[in-house]
């Protein structure tokens, strides 16, 4: 079995229980030292053969899989494997070579960055959508033209920009195509790592602050009015006058909800 495991954003206790169990049982682990801190490997058995994919090509990684046809293999991906994880080609190889495989989800850096900033990304009346995107990479053809940062910026929804910290000027230019310069932004560097940093800024100051941070990798840029403190509005869901399947509507002055109860 080849398990594509989400390592989480970096803190060893932000891997899922299932991910940790797969690591503990693995005979072979392939991980990217450039994106996943070594401490996450504490979940692996000391007897596991560990390969650092930072200097490996896809072919090198596939050669490791091919060399261990009966092993329990864990391929660790940062955050959640479904986001910029490049797992598609590995899954195709598994299918072609009749190897069993699975995806074990992980905590994305998006969630860790939002936690570091201390904001809900979907604030009622402000933004109910989160765009996860990136600047077009060196392989421009992999980015559909309709999906430019500038095109999404026009919606002024909350945006999380991955893989783009090394091009501050270009990122700011695309963002100001849709967001006002005073729109709040946050640069979150190594979210959940021991040296995590959060830099609060605005779209208009983003390039300067990103450049000054020195961050080029492992940094996520969050943008949108939901990041503003005044955006902390009360969710309609918890209004006393709002009824839903699990709660009756209460009238002013009455006690809301049911008393807390112990689990059976
Ligand atoms: C190849 S992508 C992988 C994303 C990953 N699958 C996820 O769910 O977070 C790598 C990019 O994710 C972001 N990233 C990953 N881990 C991060 C962290 N701990 N803090 C901030 N950004 C992170 C950065 O934008 C980095 O360039």
């Amino acid at each position: 079995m080849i398990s594509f495991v989400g390592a989480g954003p970096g803190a060893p206790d932000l891997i899922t229980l299932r991910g940790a169990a797969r690591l503990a049982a693995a005979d072979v682990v392939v991980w990217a030292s450039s994106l996943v801190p070594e401490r996450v490997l504490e979940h692996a058995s000391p007897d596991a053969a560990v390969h650092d994919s930072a200097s490996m090509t896809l072919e090198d990684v596939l050669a490791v899989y091919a060399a261990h046809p009966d092993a329990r293999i864990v391929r660790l991906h940062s955050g959640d494997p479904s986001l910029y994880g490049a797992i598609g080609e590995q899954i195709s190889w598994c299918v072609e070579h009749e190897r069993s495989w699975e995806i074990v989800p992980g905590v994305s850096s998006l969630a860790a960055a939002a936690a570091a900033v201390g904001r809900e990304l979907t604030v009622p009346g402000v933004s109910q959508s989160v765009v996860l995107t990136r600047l077009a990479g060196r392989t421009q053809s992999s980015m559909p033209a309709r999906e430019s940062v500038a095109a999404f910026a026009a919606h002024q929804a909350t945006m999380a920009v991955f893989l783009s910290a090394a091009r501050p000027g270009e990122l700011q230019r695309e963002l100001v195509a849709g967001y006002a310069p005073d729109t709040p932004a946050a640069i979150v560097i190594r979210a959940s790592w021991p040296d995590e940093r959060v830099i609060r800024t605005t779209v208009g100051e983003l390039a300067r602050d990103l450049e000054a941070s020195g961050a080029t990798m492992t940094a996520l840029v969050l943008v949108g009015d939901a990041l503003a403190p005044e955006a902390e509005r009360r969710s309609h869901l918890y209004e006393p006058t709002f009824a839903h399947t699990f709660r009756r509507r209460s009238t002013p002055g009455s006690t809301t909800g049911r008393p807390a109860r112990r689990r059976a």
Side-chain angles (χ1 to χ4, degrees):
M1 166 72 88
I2 300 175
S3 303
F4 301 104
V5 173
D13 59 348
L14 282 178
I15 192 169
T16 65
L17 292 174
R18 187 181 299 180
R22 293 293 189 275
L23 262 182
D27 308 303
V28 177
V29 177
V30 183
W31 73 301
S33 62
S34 49
L35 280 170
V36 179
E38 192 157 11
R39 283 199 59 201
V40 177
L41 293 181
E42 287 170 8
H43 296 287
S45 157
D47 300 328
V50 177
H51 300 263
D52 182 355
S53 67
S55 58
M56 294 164 79
T57 62
L58 172 65
E59 286 67 27
D60 295 334
V61 171
L62 298 179
V64 172
Y65 300 166
H68 301 280
D70 302 314
R72 284 165 297 196
I73 299 176
V74 163
R75 172 69 161 116
L76 264 186
H77 286 271
S78 70
D80 181 78
S82 70
L83 296 172
Y84 308 109
I87 52 174
E89 51 265 51
Q90 299 178 74
I91 291 170
S92 298
W93 183 91
C94 291
V95 171
E96 194 184 324
H97 293 82
E98 298 183 348
R99 295 283 294 267
S100 54
W101 59 277
E102 66 171 350
I103 298 172
V104 178
V107 176
S108 174
S109 59
L110 172 72
V117 171
R119 289 279 176 272
E120 176 176 351
L121 301 179
T122 52
V123 179
V126 177
S127 178
Q128 289 291 281
S129 312
V130 183
V131 176
L132 312 187
T133 190
R134 58 169 297 174
L135 287 174
R138 272 177 297 174
T139 49
Q140 294 272 336
S141 57
S142 63
M143 177 64 105
R146 64 183 179 277
E147 293 190 12
S148 68
V149 168
F152 285 128
H155 294 274
Q156 298 176 9
T158 307
M159 186 185 287
V161 191
F162 292 72
L163 292 158
S164 305
R167 286 139 72 197
E170 188 182 343
L171 179 56
Q172 180 169 326
R173 273 194 301 282
E174 293 226 16
L175 288 170
V176 292
Y179 294 100
D182 62 351
T183 306
I187 303 159
V188 186
I189 303 162
R190 294 180 179 238
S192 88
W193 294 42
D195 57 352
E196 169 186 287
R197 271 194 294 158
V198 176
I199 299 162
R200 288 165 209 277
T201 181
T202 60
V203 167
E205 309 274 284
L206 179 69
R208 187 201 64 189
D209 289 344
L210 191 50
E211 187 115 50
S213 76
T216 53
M217 291 177 61
T218 331
L220 198 63
V221 175
L222 300 177
V223 180
D225 286 328
L227 302 177
E230 60 270 24
E232 287 171 348
R233 299 193 190 146
R234 186 171 173 152
S235 166
H236 186 49
L237 187 62
Y238 294 100
E239 289 285 350
T241 52
F242 182 67
H244 58 73
T245 318
F246 299 104
R247 195 184 61 227
R248 280 194 301 262
R249 189 156 71 124
S250 64
T251 50
S254 70
T255 309
T256 57
R258 300 188 178 112
R261 61 187 170 90
R262 289 187 192 282
R263 281 190 307 167

